Amino acid sequence: MSRPAKNRFAAIGLFGGTFDPVHHGHLRAALEAKELLGLDDFRLLPAGTPPHRPSPVAPAIHRLAMLRLAVAGHPGFSVDDREIRRAGLSYMVDTLREFRQESGEAPLMLLIGQDAANALDTWHEWRAIFELAHLVIMRRPESQESWSGELQQHVENRFVKRPARLREKAAGYVLPLEITQLAISSTDIRDRLSRGRSPGFLLPDRVLDYISQNRLYFAGAVGKG
Ligand code: ATP
């Protein structure tokens, strides 16, 4: 018999990024994570002004619109615009505090790539993140873990192997999850567009149409194929 759920609040998956623009690498990873974690509520969170990288190329309003087009009609996915609406740098800890206030004791599952996880101790108030959410680390077979110092202790003490464990409490576990990472990046898509080349099939057609209509990232209009 399966173990009864200890947590009566519905779990929420959170997947942040600049999505400049969103592509099939993001979407495939999100779908696999959603399935493996058994989530009915999966939120994509476009960053307003990310603290760890250069400012996005496309204005937030367009990145948001592209993300909405990408997930339209896909049940269980939604786009959360709170980081874009909030003034100043988009600190994940602020976002998680807001979700925690709204979601009571719901397990919050924050998805991050292995590279980001290795540098978690450079994030604003990083220790608080473990109090607010579970960390789901998206890995591929060749992913290298390289925690150091206090971060290593935090992670090792919290490691779990099965997604079901994340239903036992609202926050605080670390789960590694093998996720397909397609060789697609927003940088490569922007680069192709700026050179007048098509990024067709790397991102949804609806998103590419939006890019063309709004003349984002490139000087001339580019078709899909
Ligand atoms: P850029 O090329 O502009 O740096 P990006 O393509 O890496 O962008 P981000 O918006 O920075 O995309 O990524 C958001 C999240 O999506 C991160 O957690 C990142 O690990 C993940 N991600 C990005 N590309 C892929 C991919 N091809 N497969 C799986 N996950 C991805």
Side-chain angles (χ1 to χ4, degrees):
M1 214 167 71
S2 65
R3 205 161 16 153
K6 288 186 184 159
N7 204 314
R8 65 193 171 84
F9 294 94
I12 302 172
L14 302 171
F15 188 99
T18 43
F19 303 112
D20 189 20
V22 61
H23 53 66
H24 281 137
H26 298 130
L27 296 166
R28 182 66 219 164
L31 179 59
E32 282 186 26
K34 180 176 176 296
E35 277 181 350
L36 290 168
L37 296 170
L39 293 168
D40 295 324
D41 185 353
F42 195 97
R43 319 253 181 117
L44 294 147
L45 283 160
T49 310
H52 287 105
R53 49 177 296 155
S55 287
V57 176
I61 189 88
H62 288 310
R63 292 184 290 110
L64 184 62
M66 291 187 281
L67 212 39
R68 287 192 167 134
L69 283 172
V71 299
H74 292 272
F77 286 103
S78 61
V79 180
D80 190 296
D81 65 356
R82 74 187 60 221
E83 292 198 348
I84 281 172
R85 280 189 279 108
R86 204 165 60 217
L89 293 175
S90 303
Y91 290 123
M92 184 51 78
V93 71
D94 296 334
T95 303
L96 293 176
R97 284 194 176 114
E98 286 182 19
F99 272 110
R100 179 51 66 212
Q101 268 200 332
E102 292 164 18
S103 317
E105 290 301 305
L108 294 177
M109 305 184 190
L110 174 65
L111 285 114
I112 61 173
Q114 181 72 57
D115 291 351
N118 288 341
L120 192 75
D121 52 359
T122 63
W123 291 22
H124 185 60
E125 290 189 55
W126 65 272
R127 295 171 190 82
I129 288 174
F130 293 98
E131 311 300 323
L132 293 162
H134 299 301
L135 218 59
V136 178
I137 303 178
M138 297 181 291
R139 299 172 44 83
R140 31 186 167 188
E142 66 277 19
S143 289
Q144 296 287 326
E145 292 167 12
S146 71
W147 332 106
S148 54
E150 199 189 333
L151 176 58
Q152 182 173 12
Q153 278 172 10
H154 268 270
V155 170
E156 280 177 359
N157 292 339
R158 295 158 194 275
F159 242 78
V160 293
K161 289 188 179 154
R162 288 184 302 110
R165 298 290 311 275
L166 306 191
R167 306 296 173 132
E168 292 173 4
K169 57 181 187 172
Y173 285 137
V174 175
L175 174 80
L177 207 59
E178 276 211 11
I179 297 278
T180 304
Q181 306 228 348
L182 301 172
I184 303 175
S185 74
S186 300
T187 303
D188 173 65
I189 291 172
R190 293 194 303 271
D191 188 53
R192 284 174 200 271
L193 286 164
S194 70
R195 288 186 289 117
R197 306 286 291 272
S198 174
F201 304 128
L202 297 175
L203 69 179
D205 281 352
R206 283 183 283 195
V207 175
L208 185 50
D209 288 342
Y210 184 94
I211 289 173
S212 301
Q213 282 154 17
N214 292 278
R215 305 184 63 77
L216 303 178
Y217 307 116
F218 63 101
V222 172
K224 288 174 194 134

